[in-house]
């Protein structure tokens, strides 16, 4: 079977309206490529917006929940994966994604960027740049910057063509 | 969004031909109901057979892998979830399933039955009965027995109607 | 460094007085051997009793908690390990133990027996026998039966001498 | 029981000699306070050096291993906790520590800093400063800076006195 590319979209649970719009648009574009959108699954912030964008445009959405039930899942998540593992689910988020896109967020998002680098996954930051992080450069993966959702899609295509998937 | 029912199919990685046939048929029937099939994701035994049955009949298949990559995933798994957590992924298998179907297997399958009971998930054993297990009766969930894949489907429908989902 | 043997003691959170007494006595005897007692860490049932028996007799006690804080830890646990992973911590219980002793319990205890067998750890059931479990015999480890805490200690010594540690 | 303070010491597996010396000295000082040292348990870098410093000076050392056996544990770890969960064990590292001390490292160390902030744990960076990290300031915990192992100990005492434990 030809599997769809899985795009992990990470970001804060409480973010500004522009970030919400970008996350929605990113979800919409991911669905348009017939890629699968994967995120933390909750009904807030970047998780909700990106799932909504994908779901309303016919895309598959997977949510890796920290909870042991799907009660707090976004209604736009088609398949909730209930880990019951709290923030340890952040590891599953990045390991299950072919490419990790980081939207603005807090410490949880930072942990996912760091775990993705540790795991050798390509990371794209959308709308913000990371400078002088400890560990950057020492990993096996790269950090890419994209200003817009459209640029994220282009960057993903470049990464996949280079065989980084 | 109306989510599909998620049916977790557990069972051994090395089983007899009759069990493989039953697992394939169960996957086929699950797909026919437009339910999602979830299992441990590997390319052997009940995992492979049930995913094949669902996938070849147009169903969605999710595999919760113990590994940190999808290299050992069954080709019939559409979305591999890479946990990198070894047998701790058995917990995710049961927490993410609305109903857990246990096919014949070994200690791993037994752990999934026990974890499902602990989590209060309905369990259906297909083709074998469990007697006098410690813990049975003390949990909040029930164990159902089904002799055939067709009976499993009927039993799932009864469980869901009773609101156990 | 010569590490102490780690004895995992599993069992129900709500058990009869005789089981509590046996768990206390087992903890006491484990401490007397200068072994480390490891359990699920909570302040109830076999966890509380076995930790109390070890702690009050100068032994080291490690509790692998399902919680992300130590608030529900038994006061007799010297080092609480906070996993925040719910029942996935049952896997850590068995992987971190050289020998797993199962006292009477429910589905959680059964899951630990099954996970221990899956992981190839020697299992001793104290005061109850397991018959006709699926999977038993198919694993790489053995199940031993001991009627009393004293017999558990003797059985552990035999297992260690045979090099099963 | 009066539990010892648990000090989590994080840092790279491959670091420069000065960092190794500081990690050893930090372990020695932690042991001198009768605190418990907890780290990632492996036999390299900051893990090995800090465990050695604590162990050779009579301290208790706990190692939370990514592996399912203790074969790769540092010989200076007295109690290895085998998680079998790969980098998800980083979450357990921080949740089980009263204070997290970060030595220089790479992406893994950065993930532990971020997870600690997410979990509201006080973090002390030893010998390096973190600037302009996304998420800092938005969490409930604080980042402290210490130039030397001696300053780390002083900072821990201040944190504990303020009731941040």
């Amino acid at each position: 079977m030809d599997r769809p590319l899985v795009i992990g979209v990470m970001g804060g649970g409480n973010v500004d309206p522009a970030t919400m719009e970008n996350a929605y648009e990113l979800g919409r574009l991911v669905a348009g490529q017939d890629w699968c959108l994967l995120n933390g699954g909750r009904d807030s912030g970047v998780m909700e917006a990106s799932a909504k964008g994908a779901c309303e445009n016919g895309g598959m959405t997977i949510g890796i929940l920290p909870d042991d039930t799907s009660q707090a899942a976004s209604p736009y998540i088609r398949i909730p994966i209930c880990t019951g593992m709290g923030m340890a689910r952040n590891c599953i988020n990045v390991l299950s994604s072919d490419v990790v896109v980081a939207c603005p967020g807090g410490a949880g998002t930072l942990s996912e960027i760091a775990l993705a680098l540790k795991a050798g996954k390509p990371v794209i930051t959308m709308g913000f740049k990371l400078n002088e992080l400890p560990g950057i450069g020492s990993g096996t993966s790269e950090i890419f910057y994209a200003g817009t959702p459209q640029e994220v899609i282009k960057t993903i295509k470049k990464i996949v063509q280079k065989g980084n998937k």
Side-chain angles (χ1 to χ4, degrees), chain A:
Chain A
M1 181 170 47
D2 204 29
R3 292 199 187 108
L5 208 61
V6 177
I7 308 301
V9 177
M10 312 301 155
N14 186 6
V15 297
D16 63 276
T19 297
M20 289 295 274
E21 279 176 39
N22 277 335
Y24 179 92
E25 179 65 7
L26 178 59
R28 192 182 73 78
L29 295 173
V30 164
Q33 298 288 332
D34 287 328
W35 296 336
C36 174
L37 184 133
L38 181 149
N39 67 26
R42 283 274 185 84
D43 56 351
S44 63
V46 167
M47 294 177 278
E48 176 83 356
S50 61
K52 189 177 182 187
C55 184
E56 289 186 347
N57 291 281
M60 167 58 65
T61 52
I62 306 274
I64 311 290
L65 292 160
D67 317 295
D68 54 10
T69 75
S70 61
Q71 289 179 337
S74 162
Y76 303 104
I77 288 295
R78 185 144 178 86
I79 308 285
I81 303 296
C82 302
T83 68
M85 290 186 182
M87 64 189 189
R89 73 85 142 81
N90 293 10
C91 299
I92 303 176
N93 290 354
V94 306
L95 291 174
S96 300
S97 299
D98 294 308
V99 177
V100 172
V101 183
C103 302
T109 304
L110 178 59
S111 78
E112 289 165 319
I113 294 171
L115 291 166
L117 294 172
K118 176 76 179 168
K121 296 282 179 178
V123 174
I124 303 170
T125 61
M126 181 169 75
F128 70 104
K129 291 192 182 178
L130 288 176
N131 292 315
E132 302 177 58
L133 281 183
I136 290 189
S138 70
T140 58
S141 62
E142 292 173 84
I143 297 192
F144 302 86
Y145 168 77
T148 64
Q150 290 75 15
E151 279 182 41
V152 170
I153 302 297
K154 281 186 197 165
T155 307
I156 292 171
K157 290 182 177 177
K158 277 188 205 161
I159 291 169
V160 174
Q161 281 175 345
K162 281 201 298 182
N164 273 339
K165 182 193 163 173

